[in-house]
Amino acid sequence: MASPARPEASISLLALPTVEKLRSPSFSGRRERLSDTEVNGSLEQDNLLKSVDLNHVIKLLEETESSNSEDLVQALKNVVRHYESGIPLKELTRISKILNLCAEKIQDHIDFIEPTCEILKLYRLPFYKKKLSDEVNYAKEAQESVAQLGYLMRVPCSEVRIQICKCVISFYHAEPPKKEFDVYQPLSANYKRKMVELGGLAETLVLALALVENQLAEKLWIIKTLQHLSTSEANCTFMMKAEAPTRLCSHMNDADITGQLLFRSTEILWNLLENASKEEIVTQLSNLECVHALKEAFTNLLLHGTRHYDRQLRNDILVISTLIAQNPGAPMIETGFAKQLILFATFVEVKSHNPLVKGLKLTYTNEDFELKKLLLNMLTVLAKDLCTVQLLHEGKVMLALFHYVKPHEKPGVLDWSAAQHEELQLHAIATLATVAPLLVEDYMMCQGNTRLLMFLEWCASNDPFVGQGNSFHGTGGRGNKLSQMRYCLRVLSPVVSLCDEAVNLDLCDQGAINQLLGFLKYTANNYKEEAIVLEIQTDILLILSTLCENDLHRKELFGWEGVDTLIPFLKLDAKKFYGGLGHNRLLFSTLDSLWCCVMGCTILEDYFLEKEGLFLLLDLLVLNQRNVCNQILGILVEFCDNPKAASHINVWRGKKEQTAANLLISLWRQEEEELGVKHDKVGRIVDIKRPLVGHFQAHQAVTPKPASCPTVAIMDVAENMRAKIYCIICKLGFENLPGLSAKDFVTLAIIRRYLDFKVGEIWSEVCAELKEEKFRPVTADQEAMQVITETFENVGKMVVSLQTEMLESQHYQERQEEQKNYAKIQSLHKQKEMVHKSWENFLNRTSNYEALKKAKKIQEKSIEESRVKARQPNMTFHPTDIKKLNTTIAAGRLVTVESTPPELTGGSLADTELALQKLPVRGGALQRIKGVKVMEPFKKDSVSVK
């Protein structure tokens, strides 16, 4: 990179004197004061300012005869000397033309080789710009000039080709300019690289490889250049268009004493895979020639490579081969590479008499450790192609992989370290999870079930070994044996899911069900809720589901212990459902295990009901998690076949005393809202012809289908929850459902006719398909279809009428309830008025003596009128009132007087003991009496005595 200009320290280029001025006598005094360095610098800058007549040189090259070649060569050397500090951008076009003309003359005159190479060296120098706009204005000329370098590879001259390669490599290892000028500014090295990318030089160099197939030195220089170019994505794209992967790979094993050809070709392939389309690169490499070349290179390095460099290169080639093996069209089997790789992957664990591995031993270096892991990974990749199953069987891959399914032993002096052995063990078990389902017979011959169950038993034991957790497969297994347990279960899960009766029977005969339940309890009791623990529990539940499904005896083996184990997993905290640890998958597998291991066994169903398991399912249903609601409803449908289930469902209560019927109807409404089913504001049917059809189904075009193909209406039954809700409510009954509102009853009327509406949909589809096929039924069938259509329309009208009647009844009940409330409010107001009026009369009697006497007279008159008028003779009459007593209450010999509390009046008795008691009045005087009885609280109609 050029350093920034320093105007203070540099001499202006325009201010420097010319050579003629320096030679003139008038300037001799100043010339003596200039140092030699200053003079040389000024001359170089003057050379840049002065332009050589390049047009004249071009004309000479075009017209000069061979006899004048010496003069022309001298002119070219002058051009090189003139631009020895760099090339201005505006001169690039003419320099490029001169270079092209020189290259054409090389075939006839070898004298032009040297000047051509010297001109090429000028491209290694910085490009200069005089104006800031030059970089943009001359971009096209610079791009064409750099691209011209690639076309010069056609010149049949080794020196020129090598010099071109050195020139291009210099773009990526540019040195800063040695001198700085004020007028001309050097461009950065990135400018040249950008021109290389825009000019497509990489594509030209790849095509030039065909010209130098038999020239090793030139080929190595071109490949070295391509190695530098392949660090750019744009260059890799051009190289890919020129089929660089195929050209390089097919010749990577050509004779080369230095070994650079194989190394640099591999490096370029790596860069292409990283910077270009991996799929396209792999496709270009997936041919017989390339795969055979990779096989030869890998085998040679594995068998004969002894250096650290050889081992690294061997591993790099194996990685490239792995990427190619992932392409189904790669001829890995045809070339014998697959069989050879299987041999190399298993020869340590399974003894082989193949001469390739005779005497071959792997060391315990890091490179050989990586090789072992790459070979195990290659087995996984090859297993994805079913054509390799026979090769895996012949190579005894299952036996080799089961070599690692055993408790860890203390390593010897010459052995893998504990961390390395653990990583290989986990990698081998992970490979086994892919290979085992393909080789079931080999799995059984190796006693796979027994080995895996024994290994699981060791994982749950108190063995002092603990995992290091360093590798990818060991994630979450540091300080425990959970990683081993996880991958062991990953092997069992796909093997069991094959539903091979021999495998599953062998597994159950060895007590796998009880053992797996024990592992489930072990992980729940001894470890926190981490991702790896939840994954292990999920796998165990799915294995149990597969084993117990459709087998009553195995469900009985699952037993009450299994039900007790499932119950805690159903008590899921809703906050953890989307926590990212896997609680949602654990719940899903728990429900699946409940469905497969409990449903269908009456004893376990009853025990599950006793444990209030049905309540837990309804609690989960309230959470309204879309991915499990359908499954829970399916379980409830199955449970409803149990006669005890209906009562449990009706007894359940949620928040705010929500009933199960209300919950199910709410789910129905929510489902129809998501489907876009049309209803009015109060929930009544809008489209009586298609009352269940949603937005998506309504816009589906009618296409004739065979009878074996389900239509949209049939698929709708399985794709949403409405059919399950209908089945559950049918089991519960449509009458006397508790906790339903009028809106619920309106929806319930639709649910009740769900089956009729669905049949009507199917008949509508039949009619539409006949119309689409332009097929006219016979008259009888046409009339029958018309009657059926009208019948289902009448069902829709009847439901709408019933819904309207329900809403009107509800509205009437609401009005009646409102009137009752208003009457109650009226009664309360009237009672308050009567109490207030009674209180006013009481105050009037106690404060106005005349009013009291008047009230007394009225009372006496009323009493007298109420007595019997006719009296028997000789009857003695005893008066009950006291004469001259002006009170309006019933009087007796003993009168209870309640006075105003002294705390309010502050009377003379406020500080005495009497102030805390209610005292009787006897003889008119206040006396202290023992055992005073506490009377009832103050009454408004009692006598107040001061």
Side-chain angles (χ1 to χ4, degrees):
M1 297 292 292
S3 59
R6 292 172 294 175
E8 306 88 9
S10 61
I11 302 174
S12 175
L13 192 63
L14 294 174
L16 287 176
T18 63
V19 178
E20 290 75 8
K21 286 185 178 180
L22 287 173
R23 291 177 179 174
S24 64
S26 61
F27 200 75
S28 60
R30 185 174 181 182
R31 182 181 59 193
E32 293 174 356
R33 294 192 295 269
L34 290 174
S35 63
D36 294 338
T37 304
E38 290 172 329
V39 172
N40 293 335
S42 65
L43 287 173
E44 291 176 356
Q45 296 181 65
D46 194 49
N47 283 339
L48 278 177
L49 282 174
K50 285 185 176 181
S51 61
V52 176
D53 193 355
L54 297 179
N55 293 327
H56 178 67
V57 176
I58 293 172
K59 186 176 180 181
L60 289 175
L61 285 170
E62 293 176 345
E63 298 177 355
T64 301
E65 299 293 336
S66 59
S67 59
N68 298 327
S69 60
E70 294 181 1
D71 297 337
L72 187 55
V73 168
Q74 185 61 39
L76 293 173
K77 290 182 178 179
N78 292 336
V79 173
V80 172
R81 191 180 304 111
H82 181 77
Y83 293 107
E84 60 184 2
S85 297
I87 305 176
L89 286 176
K90 65 180 182 179
E91 305 293 351
L92 270 177
T93 302
R94 289 185 288 183
I95 293 291
S96 179
K97 189 170 183 178
I98 291 172
L99 186 61
N100 194 28
L101 292 172
C102 290
E104 292 177 354
K105 294 181 177 293
I106 287 178
Q107 291 184 350
D108 301 326
H109 306 283
I110 60 174
D111 295 340
F112 286 95
I113 294 177
E114 182 181 354
T116 302
C117 293
E118 292 298 324
I119 294 175
L120 284 171
K121 289 180 181 179
L122 295 179
Y123 281 82
R124 300 166 65 176
L125 301 174
F127 290 169
Y128 285 90
K129 61 180 179 181
K130 189 173 183 179
K131 301 178 182 178
L132 293 176
S133 60
D134 287 354
E135 189 171 348
V136 178
N137 295 337
Y138 295 102
K140 185 176 181 180
E141 289 79 357
Q143 176 183 333
E144 293 175 352
S145 179
V146 172
Q148 184 68 26
L149 296 177
Y151 300 135
L152 291 178
M153 294 299 293
R154 72 185 185 277
V155 178
C157 177
S158 177
E159 292 88 342
V160 174
R161 289 171 175 172
I162 292 175
Q163 192 60 46
I164 292 172
C165 293
K166 290 181 178 180
C167 176
V168 176
I169 292 174
S170 69
F171 295 170
Y172 294 84
H173 299 282
E175 297 180 358
K178 298 179 180 179
K179 299 183 182 298
E180 296 180 0
F181 308 108
D182 290 340
V183 174
Y184 285 95
Q185 297 179 359
L187 296 173
S188 65
N190 290 332
Y191 184 79
K192 290 184 179 180
R193 299 172 192 170
K194 186 177 180 181
M195 294 300 107
V196 169
E197 295 174 0
L198 295 175
L201 179 60
E203 183 179 3
T204 309
L205 291 178
V206 171
L207 297 174
L209 286 172
L211 302 175
V212 295
E213 287 185 359
N214 300 321
Q215 288 82 26
L216 179 61
E218 299 169 27
K219 183 192 297 185
L220 289 177
W221 272 106
I222 293 177
I223 290 179
K224 184 178 179 181
T225 306
L226 291 173
Q227 183 181 354
H228 287 81
L229 294 178
S230 63
T231 57
S232 165
E233 292 185 6
N235 290 334
C236 286
T237 303
F238 282 111
M239 292 170 67
M240 184 179 65
K241 291 180 180 179
E243 297 183 352
T246 304
R247 296 173 184 271
L248 292 170
C249 190
S250 58
H251 294 282
M252 67 192 316
N253 294 317
D254 291 352
D256 176 24
I257 302 175
T258 63
Q260 293 187 41
L261 181 61
L262 179 60
F263 167 73
R264 295 190 186 280
S265 299
T266 305
E267 184 69 20
I268 294 172
L269 290 177
W270 262 105
N271 293 338
L272 287 172
L273 288 168
E274 289 180 352
N275 298 322
S277 172
K278 184 185 295 184
E279 294 76 14
E280 181 63 27
I281 301 298
V282 169
T283 302
Q284 292 187 21
L285 292 174
S286 299
N287 56 69
L288 285 170
E289 191 176 3
C290 291
V291 174
H292 190 273
L294 289 170
K295 171 193 170 184
E296 184 180 347
F298 174 76
T299 305
N300 183 57
L301 289 171
L302 177 63
L303 299 179
H304 306 294
T306 56
R307 298 174 296 174
H308 178 76
Y309 157 82
D310 294 333
R311 296 191 185 100
Q312 286 186 331
L313 184 58
R314 171 200 66 192
N315 292 350
D316 291 344
I317 293 175
L318 184 55
V319 172
I320 296 173
S321 303
T322 304
L323 294 175
I324 296 174
Q326 293 176 356
N327 182 14
M332 299 294 291
I333 301 176
E334 292 82 349
T335 57
F337 199 13
K339 185 175 182 179
Q340 198 167 289
L341 289 170
I342 293 172
L343 173 65
F344 292 142
T346 59
F347 80 95
V348 176
E349 296 80 17
V350 180
K351 300 303 179 183
S352 174
H353 300 288
N354 193 303
L356 274 177
V357 295
K358 186 178 181 180
L360 177 62
K361 291 184 179 180
L362 295 181
T363 62
Y364 299 101
T365 60
N366 290 332
E367 288 72 28
D368 284 350
F369 175 67
E370 291 295 329
L371 172 67
K372 189 65 180 177
K373 292 195 298 181
L374 289 172
L375 289 171
L376 290 173
N377 183 60
M378 177 62 82
L379 292 178
T380 305
V381 174
L382 293 175
K384 295 179 180 178
D385 186 0
L386 295 180
C387 297
T388 62
V389 173
Q390 183 62 28
L391 295 178
L392 295 172
H393 168 70
E394 294 173 356
K396 300 180 180 179
V397 172
M398 292 297 297
L399 185 60
L401 294 176
F402 269 115
H403 173 77
Y404 293 93
V405 185
K406 60 183 179 180
H408 180 69
E409 299 175 356
K410 188 176 181 181
V413 178
L414 296 177
D415 200 356
W416 302 115
S417 65
Q420 287 177 329
H421 184 274
E422 180 195 8
E423 189 169 351
L424 287 178
Q425 182 185 58
L426 293 174
H427 206 144
I429 300 175
T431 306
L432 190 61
T434 304
V435 177
L438 303 175
L439 302 171
V440 179
E441 293 183 0
D442 293 354
Y443 175 84
M444 294 300 292
M445 288 180 62
C446 295
Q447 298 180 343
N449 289 334
T450 305
R451 292 194 183 200
L452 291 174
L453 291 177
M454 291 179 63
F455 190 69
L456 281 172
E457 193 68 35
W458 172 77
C459 293
S461 66
N462 295 324
D463 191 279
F465 169 80
V466 291
Q468 302 295 322
N470 296 326
S471 63
F472 166 78
H473 296 289
T475 304
R478 187 173 185 83
N480 51 57
K481 296 188 280 290
L482 290 177
S483 296
Q484 286 77 2
M485 183 179 289
R486 170 174 58 184
Y487 281 98
C488 191
L489 290 169
R490 285 189 182 182
V491 178
L492 270 179
S493 184
V495 171
V496 170
S497 63
L498 293 174
C499 296
D500 188 293
E501 188 59 29
V503 176
N504 292 353
L505 181 61
D506 177 68
L507 198 60
C508 294
D509 289 344
Q510 298 187 50
I513 294 177
N514 291 329
Q515 192 172 353
L516 290 172
L517 288 174
F519 294 146
L520 203 57
K521 291 181 180 179
Y522 169 77
T523 54
N525 297 332
N526 294 279
Y527 296 100
K528 298 179 180 178
E529 290 186 348
E530 300 176 353
I532 186 172
V533 176
L534 297 179
E535 181 183 345
I536 289 172
Q537 294 171 345
T538 300
D539 288 339
I540 292 175
L541 290 169
L542 291 176
I543 293 171
L544 289 171
S545 301
T546 308
L547 288 175
C548 297
E549 188 176 11
N550 302 325
D551 193 304
L552 183 59
H553 174 64
R554 293 175 188 173
K555 292 180 181 181
E556 292 174 352
L557 291 177
F558 186 79
W560 294 345
E561 180 185 0
V563 175
D564 290 333
T565 307
L566 291 179
I567 291 294
F569 292 110
L570 293 175
K571 299 177 181 178
L572 176 68
D573 186 359
K575 297 179 181 178
K576 298 180 180 179
F577 199 81
Y578 293 111
L581 293 178
H583 287 89
N584 52 346
R585 293 191 296 271
L586 178 61
L587 177 61
F588 183 85
S589 60
T590 303
L591 294 172
D592 187 61
S593 182
L594 173 63
W595 201 333
C596 297
C597 300
V598 177
M599 304 304 301
C601 182
T602 307
I603 299 174
L604 296 185
E605 288 182 4
D606 293 343
Y607 185 72
F608 184 77
L609 292 174
E610 291 176 8
K611 289 292 182 178
E612 298 182 352
L614 209 55
F615 293 169
L616 296 176
L617 291 177
L618 291 170
D619 290 338
L620 288 173
L621 198 58
V622 173
L623 299 178
N624 198 14
Q625 302 296 340
R626 297 293 301 170
N627 52 349
V628 295
C629 275
N630 218 336
Q631 193 177 10
I632 294 173
L633 289 172
I635 295 173
L636 291 175
V637 171
E638 295 288 338
F639 251 117
C640 285
D641 291 337
N642 191 314
K644 300 179 182 178
S647 59
H648 281 74
I649 294 176
N650 287 326
V651 167
W652 176 84
R653 292 294 182 272
K655 292 182 178 179
K656 299 181 180 179
E657 294 299 315
Q658 184 184 23
T659 61
N662 176 260
L663 173 62
L664 294 172
I665 293 173
S666 300
L667 289 174
W668 177 285
R669 281 198 295 266
Q670 182 179 349
E671 186 76 12
E672 290 203 330
E673 183 178 351
E674 292 180 359
L675 292 174
V677 180
K678 293 182 180 180
H679 295 293
D680 61 9
K681 295 181 179 180
V682 291
R684 286 178 297 190
I685 294 173
V686 173
D687 186 359
I688 59 174
K689 294 183 179 180
R690 307 174 74 187
L692 299 178
V693 174
H695 179 75
F696 174 77
Q697 187 178 347
H699 289 79
Q700 287 292 310
V702 177
T703 55
K705 296 180 180 180
S708 58
C709 184
T711 61
V712 178
I714 299 299
M715 293 299 296
D716 176 75
V717 176
E719 290 176 351
N720 56 68
M721 302 184 294
R722 292 187 294 181
K724 295 183 178 66
I725 294 173
Y726 168 75
C727 292
I728 296 173
I729 296 181
C730 280
K731 296 287 184 178
L732 298 177
F734 290 95
E735 304 294 338
N736 301 323
L737 292 175
L740 299 184
S741 62
K743 188 176 182 180
D744 294 335
F745 280 111
V746 170
T747 307
L748 186 62
I750 301 175
I751 299 174
R752 190 167 191 169
R753 291 292 184 172
Y754 171 77
L755 192 58
D756 295 334
F757 291 148
K758 185 56 66 176
V759 174
E761 277 185 37
I762 296 171
W763 275 108
S764 299
E765 287 183 342
V766 171
C767 296
E769 287 185 14
L770 292 175
K771 185 177 180 180
E772 183 71 19
E773 293 177 343
K774 298 179 180 180
F775 178 80
R776 183 183 178 280
V778 297
T779 305
D781 290 343
Q782 183 73 30
E783 292 176 355
M785 291 174 64
Q786 184 67 27
V787 171
I788 291 171
T789 304
E790 292 177 356
T791 301
F792 286 114
E793 288 183 9
N794 292 334
V795 172
K797 293 178 181 178
M798 182 184 67
V799 172
V800 172
S801 175
L802 180 61
Q803 289 176 324
T804 304
E805 183 180 345
M806 289 178 179
L807 292 171
E808 290 177 354
S809 175
Q810 174 66 18
H811 185 59
Y812 175 76
Q813 291 179 3
E814 289 176 355
R815 285 203 307 266
Q816 293 295 322
E817 191 68 26
E818 185 179 3
Q819 290 178 359
K820 288 181 181 179
N821 290 333
Y822 276 123
K824 187 176 181 180
I825 293 171
Q826 233 175 9
S827 175
L828 289 174
H829 279 288
K830 187 174 181 179
Q831 186 175 1
K832 287 181 180 179
E833 290 177 0
M834 292 175 63
V835 171
H836 182 69
K837 187 175 181 180
S838 175
W839 177 249
E840 288 181 349
N841 291 336
F842 173 74
L843 290 179
N844 191 26
R845 292 196 307 270
T846 55
S847 60
N848 189 345
Y849 183 68
E850 294 297 330
L852 179 62
K853 289 194 297 181
K854 183 178 180 181
K856 180 64 175 177
K857 288 181 180 179
I858 295 173
Q859 182 184 24
E860 289 176 349
K861 182 178 180 181
S862 176
I863 292 171
E864 187 64 30
E865 289 178 353
S866 65
R867 288 174 178 167
V868 180
K869 302 300 181 181
R871 296 181 182 178
Q872 297 179 3
N874 301 325
M875 178 183 292
T876 304
F877 176 74
H878 300 280
T880 59
D881 54 344
I882 302 174
K883 299 297 183 179
K884 298 182 180 181
L885 183 60
N886 294 326
T887 61
T888 56
I889 62 173
R893 299 290 182 181
L894 182 62
V895 180
T896 301
V897 179
E898 294 188 9
S899 62
T900 305
E903 290 83 358
L904 298 177
T905 61
S908 57
L909 300 178
D911 298 328
T912 64
E913 194 174 341
L914 293 173
L916 304 177
Q917 306 180 62
K918 294 182 180 180
L919 303 177
V921 179
R922 184 178 298 171
L926 291 174
Q927 297 180 3
R928 186 170 183 177
I929 301 174
K930 295 181 180 180
V932 178
K933 181 180 179 182
V934 179
M935 306 304 294
E936 295 180 357
F938 174 76
K939 296 181 180 179
K940 292 183 179 180
D941 57 349
S942 60
V943 179
S944 178
V945 179
K946 294 185 180 180

